[in-house]
Every structure is written in structure tokens, then in C-alpha cells.
Amino acid sequence: MIGTALTLTGDLEAESAIPWIVHRGLLLNLDGWVRRRGAGEIEIALAGPEPLVAAMEAACSLGPADILVEHITRQAHDFDHAPGRFRHLS
Amino acid sequence: MSTEYARNDWYVVADVNQLAAGQVVETRLLGQPLRVSGSPDAPLVTTADGTALPAQLRYDHIWTSPGADPRPLPDIAEAAERDRTFVPCGGVRVRCSPLRAVENFLDIAHFPFVHTGILGEEPHTEVAPYKVEIREDVDEVWATQIGFHQPQAAKSATEAIETRYEYRVPAPTTAVLYKTCPPKPEAWDVIAIFVQPLAENECIAWPWMALYDEVTPYADLVQFQQEIFLQDRSILENQKPTLLPLDPRLEIPTRCDLTSVVYRRWLKRKGATYGALTTAA
Amino acid sequence: MTFKLYNYVLSGNCYKIRLMAALLDVAYETIAVDFYPGFEHRSPGILALNPAGTLPVLTSGDMVLTETQAMLTWLALTYDVTGTWYPVDDPERLATITEWLGFAGRLSQSAGLARLHDMLNWPADEKAVKAAAISDLRTLELHLNDRVLEGGLWIAGDGPTIADIACFPYTALSPDAGLEHDGYPAIRNWLYAVRALPGFVAMPGIHYLHDLKETSGD
Amino acid sequence: MGVGVGVRMNSVAVGLSRDLAPKRVMRAVAYGHDLAVWRDGENGLHAWDNRCPHRGMRLSHGFVRGDRLACLYHGWQYRKDGGCAYIPAHPGLEPPETIRAQTYSVIEKSGVIWVSTGNDAQGVDTGPVSEPLRSLTFFCAEAIARAAFEDTPFAGNLPQVESTGRLVAGGHPVAVLANPVTESETLIHVLTSAGVGIAAKKALSRWCEAARSVAERQAA
């Protein structure tokens, strides 16, 4: 199924980043996952109603106090199978 | 709390009406008492120990900065267009963070509920997608391509119209709205808000307008804007927490709140945290 | 045209007249006076009309009224076809109304001035006016709670009168001065009742009752 | 003194049932928590954290439509269970169950609204003394407010204190319930019994004001 991929770049090293994003994904009842791709990059894959995906993007562009998102890009994401409840993919 | 960034911005501390009437204004800025005196053309701003701060008259208001190396005062080009009517609307004190006052100015989704019958009306509540960006070349936040159904967009409006909006934030406590001008569709009306931070949790908002409207009496223009701003005041005094959270963990911004989100991100990036909550709230 | 109102949009006293006229469904002309920041109420034009320089001023033909109590009385006697807003044939009720019109004048000097101080930086002895405002709110709460104990709701008798309209604005606007209504349940319920009156108009700081509208979102 | 002394209480009296009509909302404070207490159109009672999850606006400034409470700022509507039902800016969206206002436990007993910060609000049974007289704020601590009722004469005589903790003022039974809003502000609710006439109730109401004067003088 086709979902949405968000890629965050910036000053994202703080440990708070991933739990904060997981909390937001669950708060918005989205399916998908988040994973760290490096010290300055976090990847999020989402499935859900467009206004909630947009709300996820808005919230994550701000994030917890100790990170700073410089850029956020959005593209389609092809899930191999049903993504399931939003979680941290380690 | 940090005043480090904030000290080097310019702030309104009085308006031209007060000095023209010969008033000596005792006020505060960033928690420090200030006195504003003199005439509109030669204003004097002094601190409690008598130190003179730089002072200048711009956009019908007296501006000062307590910093050693202030950034330039934001330029509003329309102030030079002499066929506009310039309307300083007076200062209104609000028990809220100066940043919350700016954030509310940038918000459109509240129009049907807070400015009922003027700037919005149910069932016209939907906020269509719009564009928000930080313009790196000028270091400003811009929100564009905003449209909203308004029963009475301006004093000069004779019927409900689909109003176009653009917002510009050139400094953390200065915001400018460019809005459809009902009698002159090819031009924008300009409505700005200059926020004087008295403290982190208290401010004076000074609305100012530069309009094309040759028909409406001046006092009606002032009161139209005052009516709108005062409708927001009780909202601003009842938002929790009082300071503007830079971490929205306890909030649920959606797409219609994107200007707020980008404004907060811009503040966070600059370290402009006077009036902001920097811990999770 | 019926009458002219020299009006300032943020003034609770001007609002009394706008509200009363709306409830009586009377059309009128407003002339905006730039009270703040322009201090136009002290201009020669307004002072010629009202030497005291206060707002509102109401004119009709040669008549010039500068006191809101007089304006409310005149509006009710002239435009209220039901005769209920100012019931002249009931001496006791009329006296109660007059009593509370006087109270409304005190309230503008306490809660009204406290609001101007907090909102527009008006000069005032903040502590003294706020103490006076609390005392006035308590006086009104005591009376309105008496009315509840009697099975009533309005200030005088079984329906709204000009006394309710006179006391409404500065009571409703007291949160503008940080004086919340939480500890005044009888006042809170009476404010709701005024806002629910047919023809009610709002002013900044007093919102429309959105609950009266059709539900959207179902 | 007063009803409730010696009873282990998990709940606090935030208002009189009489004073909150259907489709109305009020602000209340319980154990330092800022709450919006509201009634739906069918008289159901709800107590929520006084904060719209969207942007933090106090929900006590909101409005009730049918069985929903709406925030005044952006009109977000919440169902009786706290779940968000409607977001006016995004009318096509069905908000997920996960977006919700925080709810508290609330019940009515003895004509009084009781709120708990736990999950099982309890009220005090004041027996026949459950006729609402009034609520009023004292600018003093709870203990001073309570004591003032015993120290304030009614028609020249100090009230009697019964073993139940209730007072008898001028022959009229009175129950005094206190909600400490802050260290220096106490919300008092006063009940009497159904047989007391209107004139006596008005006299009791003035006696409450006299007690307030005593308490606030002492606190000053």
C-alpha cells in the first residue's frame, strides 16, 4: 500500500527525538514507523488520513525542545505489507 | 529565560498620539522600567537610572532598543505610499506572552468563533491548505496563498467576500498582514501588530494599519480594528501555559496551524526564547 | 432616523445603549468617537455637545442625553411596545430598577475603571478600584442569589428590565481586569440569561452564545 | 469544622447542582487542578482538564452543543467521553479516538457537585440538609473560613455546633462545605434544609457574608 515518507534532517541527536515522534504517531492514531538513519537524519513512514499525516508532519517539524529540524521532505512510501500501529523500528 | 536575543530587537514603547498630547509615558520593556517623553519628532526614551536609549519614530510609533547592537527595525514598504491612510490603533495590555500575541495574529481558524460575523462565520470554517516558509534571504516567516470566507473583511467591505491573506513575520514581536483591499482589489491592505514585551508573561499589543479607504471616517477605522483585537484578548489570557511552548507535546497542531508551527520553529532556531517555554509542556 | 449615538466600541457604557436598542429592535445612527487612542471625547466638537466629555452621547431632535440611565429610560419608554423593560405602573419594581441603575453607575467607576486600567493603561489606583469592584460584584451576587432563592433570575421582577441591561456590561467585562466570574454562580447564570435574549448583540470581551446555533459537525 | 471532618475524602465540592444548568459550562478548581465542569443537553455532568488539547485554551470558556463541549478558540468539539468529535478547520476529517480531553470523575450528591482527581468521586451525604443556599468565595485559607461560621452570630446568637459537624443558626440547620482553591482563597458552599422559608434563607445568606467579613478581617 502507498503511504507517506517523511525525512527529517537537522540537529536531531537528542535521545528524546524518537520517543517523542512515536508518541505523536500514536496520538494521531497513525500506522507506520520511525527509524534513525544517522545522527542528523530520521525517517518516518506513515499511513492514515491525509489531515492526520499533515498534522504529523507539522508536529515533527517542531519536535521536542532539544532537537532542531532544519528540513523536512515528504514523498510517497510503498509499504510491502500492512504497516501496523505506529512504532519505533530499530 | 533569556533576554540575550530579545535585547537587540526594536520595540514600540509609545505611540505618536501620546507624545503629541504631551504625555510622559511610564512603561516597561523586557521587565525594565522605561520613561518615554519628548515630542513625536524628537522622542526620548530613558531607563530608570537616566540612561538614554536610542529612540525613533516609525509607523506612527516610538521605537527603542535596549541592546548594544540592534538588528534593523523591520521595513514596511507600504508606509511610504502616501495615498494610504495610516491608523495607529493604540496599545492594549494583555496578560500573555508577547509571542502568544503574535501567534494569535497569525491564526485564521479561530475567525468564525472569536470574530463571529466579521472575519468568519459558521459553517465557513474549513481552512484550505496554504504555504508557509522561512525565507532564508531575509530571515522572515511568510505564510501565503491563504483564502478565507469573511462576512465583513474590512470596514470598507459591503458584502461577504473570499479574502486573500499573506502573513509576514520580520521579527519575533512584529507581524504584518497583507489582506485583500475591498475597494481596491489590485492592492493589499496592510495591518501590522507591534508587540511590546513588558515581561515574559505580559505585553502591550499596538495594532497599526495602512489602508486604501477614502470613505470610512478615521474613528470607524480605529474602532473596527480595536473591536477585532479586543475579541482576541480574552482568548490570549486563557491559553495555558502562559508562555509559548516551543515543544508542542501537549498540543495537537494540524495543517491549519502551520504558520504557528513554523513561527515557533523559527524562534527556536534563532534562540528568540523571551516569552517562550523551552522545556516540554 | 430615530436617534444618533456618539459611540466608542470598547466602552461598556456605550454598549448598554447598543444592546438595549438591539433588544428593542430599533435602528439608529452611530457616530464613532475616537476615545482611544485619539482622546476625541475631549475635542471641542464633543465638549460642545457634552461638557463633561463622557461617552456615550445620545441625540434625538433637540434632545441631548449624556447619562446612560437616562438613555435607557428614554429608549424603553419610547420604543418598548411591550412596556416590560421599564414598567411604570409598578412603583415597587420601578424603585428597585432605579436602585440598580444607581448601582450600575458605581460599577462603571469600579469594575469599569479597573478594566480601563488593565486594558488601556488608564491611570487609576489599581488596588482601590479592584477592591471596590469585588465589593460591587459581591453586592450584585447577593441580590441575584436572593432572586434565585425566590425562584427568579432577573434583577427586578419576572423579566428583564433596563436595570439588567445597565448592570450587564461592566459585570460581564470584569474578567478584562482579571476579576473572573468563577466564584459568582448567580452572576454567571444571569450573564448567560442576558446573552440568550432574542436580538442580543455582542461586544469585544463578551462573545455570542455559539451554543444557540445549529450544530455543525454531526 | 463542618461536614466531612473525620471522613476520608477523595473528592471536593466544586459547586451546587442548582447553579449548573443543562448546556452550561463553568470553571472549577479541585486539588489545584484547573477544571471545566459542564452539563450536556440531557443533564449529564462532566469534569475535564480545563485545557483544549489543540492549543491549550481553557474549555470553561467554551460552549455546549447537544451532547458536546466545544472550545471557543477554534471550535473543536468533544463528546461526553472526552473524545474529539469534530475539527471545524478540517470538516472532512473523522478525528481519531486518541485525540481526547482529559476527564475526571464527578458525581452529584446532596445537591452538590463533587470532583475527584482519582477515578471514583464520592460525595458527602448531608442528609436532610441538602437544600442549596449559595456558594461564595472567601479570600482566606480554608481553616479560617470554616472557623468563621462558628464565630459569627446569627440574629445575635452564635450558632450551635452539632456532633455531626453541622451548625444550627437561628434554629436553621446549616452544612458548610469548603473547597480550598488556593492557600488564600476558599470556595464555600452552604446548604440548609428544605423546610426553611425564603426570608430565613435570605437571612442565612447575609449571615454567610458576615462570616466572610470575619474571616477576611482575620486573614488580612
Side-chain angles (χ1 to χ4, degrees):
Chain A
M1 67 174 288
I2 302 296
T4 302
L6 302 174
T7 306
L8 315 184
T9 53
D11 180 1
L12 307 175
E13 281 172 50
E15 278 182 23
S16 60
I18 298 292
W20 195 100
I21 292 166
V22 170
H23 173 267
R24 182 60 44 158
L26 293 173
L27 178 61
L28 296 172
N29 202 32
L30 290 162
D31 288 341
W33 45 259
V34 56
R35 70 179 169 197
R36 189 177 282 286
R37 287 182 42 163
E41 189 172 327
I42 288 172
E43 186 185 10
I44 300 169
L46 297 168
E50 166 52 27
L52 297 177
V53 171
M56 182 74 176
E57 182 178 353
C60 291
S61 73
L62 204 44
D66 48 4
I67 73 164
L68 187 65
V69 177
E70 285 292 348
H71 293 286
I72 186 160
T73 60
R74 177 182 183 148
Q75 58 202 83
H77 179 86
D78 197 355
F79 285 103
D80 296 335
H81 36 77
R85 218 168 113 84
F86 195 81
R87 68 200 184 281
H88 178 204
L89 206 66
S90 40
Chain B
M1 171 179 94
S2 166
T3 59
E4 192 182 317
Y5 185 94
R7 291 179 63 78
N8 285 307
D9 271 330
W10 287 89
Y11 300 101
V12 166
V13 287
D15 72 3
V16 71
N17 287 299
Q18 292 173 295
L19 294 195
Q23 286 186 21
V24 174
V25 180
E26 303 284 352
T27 185
R28 278 174 290 146
L29 183 64
L30 304 173
Q32 299 302 314
L34 282 184
R35 169 176 295 184
V36 189
S37 60
S39 65
D41 296 326
L44 277 170
V45 177
T46 48
T47 62
D49 64 7
T51 309
L53 295 182
Q56 55 176 310
L57 172 67
R58 288 283 288 279
Y59 320 128
D60 304 303
H61 290 80
I62 311 304
W63 298 69
T64 192
S65 174
D69 186 19
R71 288 171 282 273
L73 201 156
D75 185 55
I76 303 174
E78 291 77 7
E81 297 172 6
R82 302 318 300 180
D83 47 349
R84 286 179 184 265
T85 303
F86 300 102
V87 189
C89 298
V92 176
R93 187 147 61 98
V94 190
R95 283 172 289 254
C96 75
S97 154
L99 306 178
R100 282 223 185 259
V102 170
E103 183 190 62
N104 175 72
F105 183 80
L106 305 173
D107 188 85
I108 49 176
H110 72 289
F111 290 168
F113 302 98
V114 180
H115 307 297
T116 313
I118 306 173
L119 300 185
E121 197 154 53
E122 292 179 272
H124 306 281
T125 57
E126 183 164 12
V127 177
Y130 58 89
K131 192 178 160 198
V132 194
E133 61 188 327
I134 297 172
R135 293 193 180 163
E136 304 287 352
D137 52 337
V138 285
D139 192 22
E140 295 181 351
V141 175
W142 278 80
T144 56
Q145 300 168 22
I146 301 170
F148 206 72
H149 172 95
Q150 299 202 318
Q152 197 186 358
K155 196 71 195 173
S156 56
T158 50
E159 58 187 11
I161 56 169
E162 181 75 12
T163 313
R164 308 295 303 174
Y165 269 53
E166 289 194 357
Y167 286 108
R168 167 190 172 211
V169 189
T173 58
T174 299
V176 186
L177 161 65
Y178 302 90
K179 172 176 186 180
T180 306
C181 173
K184 195 167 175 172
E186 73 281 11
W188 295 101
D189 274 343
V190 174
I191 302 172
I193 189 168
F194 311 133
V195 180
Q196 172 185 356
L198 298 169
E200 283 206 287
N201 57 3
E202 193 182 12
C203 61
I204 298 177
W206 303 87
W208 176 81
M209 304 189 289
L211 310 174
Y212 285 108
D213 184 341
E214 293 171 356
V215 180
T216 308
Y218 182 86
D220 284 288
L221 295 176
V222 175
Q223 293 190 28
F224 184 76
Q225 184 57 32
Q226 286 185 344
E227 176 166 17
I228 290 165
F229 186 74
L230 268 293
Q231 288 173 334
D232 288 316
R233 187 172 178 269
S234 64
I235 299 286
L236 288 168
E237 295 195 337
N238 282 287
Q239 264 180 294
K240 301 196 300 181
T242 306
L243 300 184
L244 184 72
L246 296 188
D247 175 346
R249 179 156 183 124
L250 291 187
E251 299 186 358
I252 306 178
T254 71
R255 197 180 54 217
C256 71
D257 301 302
L258 210 53
T259 317
S260 150
V261 167
V262 174
Y263 172 61
R264 294 187 198 194
R265 186 156 69 94
W266 181 69
L267 295 173
K268 185 173 168 181
R269 197 169 81 166
K270 296 160 88 69
T273 56
Y274 190 83
L277 199 61
T278 50
T279 53
Chain C
M1 194 51 75
T2 50
F3 66 93
K4 280 187 197 176
L5 185 71
Y6 292 78
N7 178 51
Y8 177 57
V9 71
L10 301 184
S11 153
N13 277 325
C14 295
Y15 173 59
K16 291 173 191 175
I17 309 311
R18 300 199 301 270
L19 177 57
M20 189 73 250
L23 294 172
L24 294 174
D25 198 21
V26 188
Y28 59 99
E29 183 186 347
T30 55
I31 295 146
V33 180
D34 184 10
F35 174 84
Y36 179 80
F39 307 114
E40 195 189 351
H41 56 299
R42 296 181 201 152
S43 69
I46 297 294
L47 290 176
L49 203 58
N50 174 15
T54 57
L55 292 176
V57 179
L58 183 154
T59 66
S60 180
D62 292 336
M63 181 182 74
V64 178
L65 297 178
T66 63
E67 292 292 336
T68 49
Q69 288 94 321
M71 297 176 205
L72 291 172
T73 310
W74 178 79
L75 279 173
L77 290 174
T78 311
Y79 298 107
D80 173 20
V81 291
T82 68
T84 57
W85 286 94
Y86 191 62
V88 287
D89 51 0
D90 184 339
E92 193 174 321
R93 197 162 169 224
L94 205 58
T96 305
I97 290 169
T98 311
E99 173 97 358
W100 287 96
L101 291 179
F103 171 85
R106 289 214 305 278
L107 196 62
S108 351
Q109 292 308 311
S110 59
L113 186 55
R115 169 173 172 267
L116 278 181
H117 172 271
D118 276 23
M119 205 168 77
L120 303 181
N121 298 300
W122 227 250
D125 179 344
E126 181 182 355
K127 222 178 147 191
V129 292
K130 288 190 178 171
I134 288 168
S135 169
D136 287 341
L137 291 174
R138 286 175 167 187
T139 300
L140 181 59
E141 173 73 14
L142 174 68
H143 177 71
L144 290 173
N145 190 72
D146 279 355
R147 300 290 300 119
V148 172
L149 294 173
E150 291 165 355
L153 167 64
W154 303 101
I155 284 180
D158 292 337
T161 64
I162 61 170
D164 296 288
I165 304 310
C167 294
F168 176 75
Y170 288 116
T171 306
L173 293 167
S174 73
D176 280 348
L179 306 169
E180 301 292 339
H181 298 139
D182 308 325
Y184 304 95
I187 286 179
R188 205 175 57 228
N189 286 325
W190 168 76
L191 294 174
Y192 259 109
V194 176
R195 290 165 72 203
L197 288 171
F200 175 84
V201 288
M203 78 163 275
I206 305 173
H207 293 277
Y208 282 105
L209 283 177
H210 293 292
D211 29 359
L212 300 178
K213 278 194 198 144
E214 293 292 307
T215 302
S216 58
D218 280 333
Chain D
M1 275 317 292
V3 170
V5 172
V7 180
R8 197 169 156 271
M9 282 292 295
N10 71 342
S11 308
V12 67
V14 298
L16 299 176
S17 295
R18 176 197 75 186
D19 290 336
L20 188 65
K23 300 184 75 179
R24 299 276 174 84
V25 55
M26 67 176 199
R27 181 173 177 237
V29 174
Y31 304 107
H33 296 261
D34 185 5
L35 304 177
V37 180
W38 65 283
R39 263 193 221 280
D40 59 53
E42 279 98 45
N43 215 30
L45 189 62
H46 314 279
W48 292 359
D49 183 32
N50 196 6
R51 197 179 168 282
C52 178
H54 174 220
R55 291 265 289 267
M57 174 68 191
R58 281 202 171 92
L59 286 168
S60 57
H61 284 246
F63 52 95
V64 181
R65 275 192 194 160
D67 59 356
R68 295 174 182 178
L69 179 64
C71 177
L72 178 62
Y73 198 2
H74 299 96
W76 286 32
Q77 294 179 7
Y78 299 88
R79 285 184 298 268
K80 291 188 276 191
D81 66 355
C84 182
Y86 183 60
I87 299 175
H90 305 294
L93 174 68
E94 189 176 324
E97 282 295 322
T98 41
I99 298 182
R100 41 199 327 118
Q102 190 190 337
T103 61
Y104 287 84
S105 174
V106 58
I107 62 154
E108 290 179 270
K109 191 165 198 172
S110 309
V112 174
I113 299 168
W114 304 84
V115 175
S116 164
T117 51
N119 54 15
D120 56 338
Q122 303 164 6
V124 170
D125 184 353
T126 58
V129 189
S130 56
E131 176 79 2
L133 188 74
R134 65 180 298 196
S135 301
L136 69 172
T137 294
F138 284 38
F139 290 128
C140 67
E142 179 187 356
I144 295 175
R146 285 186 178 282
F149 281 90
E150 293 176 30
D151 298 338
T152 303
F154 180 94
N157 299 307
L158 284 177
Q160 300 147 256
V161 183
E162 293 191 326
S163 58
T164 56
R166 288 205 296 258
L167 304 177
V168 180
H172 312 299
V174 173
V176 176
L177 306 169
N179 176 11
V181 175
T182 65
E183 292 283 304
S184 57
E185 184 181 333
T186 304
L187 182 61
I188 293 286
H189 313 284
V190 184
L191 308 172
T192 184
S193 63
V196 176
I198 291 173
K201 282 180 181 168
K202 288 186 185 176
L204 286 172
S205 176
R206 279 149 185 80
W207 172 66
C208 295
E209 303 234 326
R212 177 162 67 189
S213 299
V214 168
E216 292 184 349
R217 259 201 311 277
Q218 198 185 332

